[in-house]
Amino acid sequence: MKLSDVATIKTNFAEADFWIVRRGSLKKIGEPSYTFNPESIGIKVTRHDLVLSRYLYYCFLHLHQSGVWEPLATGSLSLVNIRVSDVANITLKPR
């Protein structure tokens, strides 16, 4: 199952449960936040029977701290970005 199966993922998404930084430095991209920014990737859980939005936020915090986004970054010099499709294609494994 992919993240896109349980959540809506898009930019400029004010109604999202949380957002992740889409563009910035290599160390900043993918960082989750509860503060809306139209440039960030918004994630809104649509299948609450499968995953809770607060739990998913902490999963993204772990992904960011683990450096998962760095190999997926595109761009040059100090400004890089990740694509919405990079986020939407994250595989979720049920326990």
Side-chain angles (χ1 to χ4, degrees):
M1 171 176 15
K2 293 184 180 184
L3 180 61
S4 59
D5 296 332
V6 298
T8 302
I9 304 114
K10 59 184 179 179
T11 57
N12 197 17
F13 189 20
E15 299 81 25
D17 295 324
F18 64 93
W19 299 266
I20 63 169
V21 175
R22 181 175 65 97
R23 181 175 292 156
S25 70
L26 197 56
K27 298 294 181 191
K28 192 77 174 163
I29 58 167
E31 182 177 21
S33 171
Y34 284 118
T35 305
F36 171 67
N37 179 338
E39 287 292 317
S40 294
I41 299 171
I43 299 172
K44 181 161 186 72
V45 174
T46 56
R47 294 288 310 269
H48 295 281
D49 57 324
L50 297 176
V51 66
L52 299 174
S53 62
R54 185 152 301 242
Y55 176 77
L56 193 58
Y57 173 88
Y58 287 107
C59 290
F60 272 93
L61 186 60
H62 173 71
L63 291 173
H64 172 68
Q65 292 173 344
S66 299
V68 168
W69 303 111
E70 292 177 19
L72 298 174
T74 58
S76 60
L77 302 175
S78 61
L79 183 64
V80 296
N81 61 69
I82 54 175
R83 295 181 294 268
V84 173
S85 61
D86 294 332
V87 177
N89 289 327
I90 291 176
T91 302
L92 304 175
K93 296 180 183 178
R95 288 189 157 201

